[in-house]
């Protein structure tokens, strides 16, 4: 029997995440009958290869979603706020990678390995939200620990790649690096400061409580995905001069005592997680190794000697893949397999 195929739209198809979405649909042989690649006037008319043929990028407009069954959105919050609603009204199920609907109680916020059951809630608004990249890789590791021992509090510091900001930021890092090495002035257009040879403790805008929006996304989204509002989460989000893959230093206070080897064993069996933890031979997860891979990598697992029930660890994942495009395509796969 021929399997059912779906008409798919990728909104923001020429961006850092959109490009990965199209690539991953092809790599994972998603059942696509038709693909619409949508973007702004800047790139409409250009072409993108999908399954060995050139697909013309079209301008996103109100009628773009007629007869589209699943829309993968990654063109920024403002575009989603307007067009996700238009798409959902036209009967297209939206998997939205932006911040626009993540905390909407009517919209499920999903990491397929963690809370696939939440997808069933998509019918309320026709929208499923993809969490923030730093949240996804963190909950991939927190959930198995949460199930085994409960979690009281999480303290996280991130070391985030510039590709999370988009293609322009990657160009800016490379241009600035070249300029600095050539004793030229580095031009800053994307970030408020030079990012080359620097670390910047600001991701997204500052909120009234002095945290950045990115930091509060990690707090609120973690609680929503783990369905536990009592977990304490505090975050410091830092942009570093890395092109791809986010790294995170995470301190976890558990309810029940776990040893480092308990945690190693728990995480070794976790879906989508790979443990790399051999300090004697300097083996631990690295951004350059995680890039292009699907798994979330964890290492430097050790007991926090300053508290009774605490663990420290280091988590790395490709922010464009598991942190964005792959997670969205995995959601679409479950939708197609179980709901459509
Ligand atoms: P375009 O390339 O035509 O500007 P990134 O996250 O790498 O910056 O990419 C953002 C993506 O979102 C790009 O594909 C970009 O298209 C698209 N985009 C940005 N603004 C709009 C808009 N107003 N309408 C449609 N697509 C948009």
């Amino acid at each position: 029997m021929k399997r059912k195929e779906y008409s798919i739209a990728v909104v923001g198809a020429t961006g850092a995440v959109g490009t990965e979405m199209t690539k991953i649909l092809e790599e994972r042989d998603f059942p696509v009958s038709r693909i619409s690649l949508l973007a702004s006037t800047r790139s409409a008319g250009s072409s993108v290869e999908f399954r060995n043929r050139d697909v013309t990028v079209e301008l996103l407009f109100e009628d773009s979603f007629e007869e589209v069954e699943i829309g993968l959105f990654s063109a920024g919050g403002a575009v989603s706020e307007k067009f996700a609603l238009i798409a959902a009204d036209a009967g297209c199920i939206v998997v939205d990678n932006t911040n626009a609907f993540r905390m909407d109680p009517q919209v499920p916020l999903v990491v397929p390995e963690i809370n696939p059951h939440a997808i069933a809630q998509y019918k309320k608004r026709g929208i499923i939200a993809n969490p923030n990249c730093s949240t996804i890789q963190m909950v991939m590791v927190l959930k198995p620990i949460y199930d085994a021992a409960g979690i009281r509090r999480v303290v996280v510091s991130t070391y985030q790649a510039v590709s999370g900001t988009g293609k322009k930021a990657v160009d800016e890092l490379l241009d600035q690096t070249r300029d600095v090495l050539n004793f030229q002035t580095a031009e800053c257009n994307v970030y408020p400061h030079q990012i080359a040879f620097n670390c910047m403790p600001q991701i997204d805008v500052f909120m009234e409580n002095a945290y950045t929006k990115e930091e509060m996304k990690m707090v609120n989204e973690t609680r929503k995905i783990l369905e536990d509002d009592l977990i304490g989460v505090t975050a410091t989000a830092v942009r570093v001069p890395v092109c791809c893959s986010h790294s995170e230093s995470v301190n976890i206070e558990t309810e029940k005592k776990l040893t480092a080897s308990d945690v190693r064993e728990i995480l070794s069996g976790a879906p989508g997680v790979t443990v790399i933890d051999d300090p004697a031979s300097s083996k631990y997860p690295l951004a350059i190794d995680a890039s292009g891979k699907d798994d979330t990598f964890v290492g430097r697992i050790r007991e926090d000697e300053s508290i009774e029930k605490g663990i420290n660890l280091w988590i790395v994942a490709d922010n464009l893949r598991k942190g964005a495009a792959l997670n969205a395509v995995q959601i679409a796969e479950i939708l197609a397999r179980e709901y459509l």
Side-chain angles (χ1 to χ4, degrees), residues 58-295:
E58 294 165 60
L59 180 63
L60 169 68
F61 76 117
E62 280 79 357
D63 292 341
S64 297
F65 301 97
E66 311 258 305
E67 293 178 24
V68 174
E69 290 163 287
I70 302 174
L72 305 177
F73 277 58
S74 195
V79 171
S80 286
E81 270 165 29
K82 176 174 174 193
F83 286 94
L85 302 180
I86 293 173
D89 275 349
C92 163
I93 302 166
V94 172
V95 181
D96 183 37
N97 189 50
T98 76
N99 190 40
F101 302 98
R102 287 181 188 147
M103 294 314 295
D104 182 330
Q106 308 267 68
V107 172
L109 182 66
V110 177
V111 179
E113 292 86 346
I114 310 299
N115 61 340
H117 57 272
I119 293 179
Q121 306 298 314
Y122 83 88
K123 289 176 185 139
K124 292 183 181 159
R125 295 202 71 182
I127 301 171
I128 300 166
N130 214 34
N132 176 255
C133 42
S134 335
T135 308
I136 293 179
Q137 67 183 69
M138 185 167 78
V139 296
M140 286 288 287
V141 169
L142 291 186
K143 174 71 162 125
I145 295 174
Y146 181 86
D147 288 344
I151 293 178
R152 203 171 281 171
R153 180 168 184 252
V154 176
V155 182
V156 53
S157 297
T158 69
Y159 305 68
Q160 294 183 226
V162 295
S163 56
T165 314
K167 270 188 177 155
K168 280 194 214 96
V170 178
D171 292 341
E172 179 149 306
L173 170 61
L174 299 177
D175 290 345
Q176 287 181 351
T177 305
R178 208 171 24 243
D179 288 343
V180 172
L181 291 175
N182 286 312
F183 305 101
Q184 308 284 317
T185 311
E187 225 185 274
C188 302
N189 296 310
V190 176
Y191 297 120
H193 305 282
Q194 178 186 312
I195 186 65
F197 305 98
N198 206 1
C199 294
M200 203 174 68
Q202 178 187 352
I203 299 186
D204 211 329
V205 295
F206 281 97
M207 318 273 293
E208 265 180 15
N209 66 358
Y211 286 81
T212 61
K213 208 167 174 185
E214 182 83 356
E215 290 160 351
M216 293 316 295
K217 285 176 206 166
M218 294 190 77
V219 174
N220 297 323
E221 294 178 20
T222 299
R223 290 177 175 155
K224 180 167 174 176
I225 297 163
L226 297 182
E227 296 167 2
D228 185 346
D229 284 341
L230 298 179
I231 299 180
V233 182
T234 188
T236 304
V238 181
R239 189 73 69 189
V240 295
V242 165
C243 283
C244 189
S245 291
H246 292 347
S247 305
E248 296 176 347
S249 159
V250 185
N251 176 267
I252 305 160
E253 188 178 354
T254 51
E255 299 282 355
K256 256 176 45 195
K257 168 82 184 160
L258 290 177
T259 64
S261 61
D262 291 338
V263 174
R264 238 170 257 126
E265 198 184 314
I266 290 164
L267 295 176
S268 300
V273 174
T274 298
V275 177
I276 304 176
D277 199 16
D278 182 6
S281 44
S282 297
K283 290 204 172 119
Y284 29 71
L286 292 173
I288 51 173
D289 297 334
S291 297
K293 309 257 170 62
D294 287 350
D295 270 11

Side-chain angles (χ1 to χ4, degrees), residues 12-17 38-44 60 74-76 79 165-168:
T14 50
V17 173
L38 305 169
S40 77
T41 44
R42 283 180 292 268
S43 55
L60 169 68
S74 195
V79 171
T165 314
K167 270 188 177 155
K168 280 194 214 96

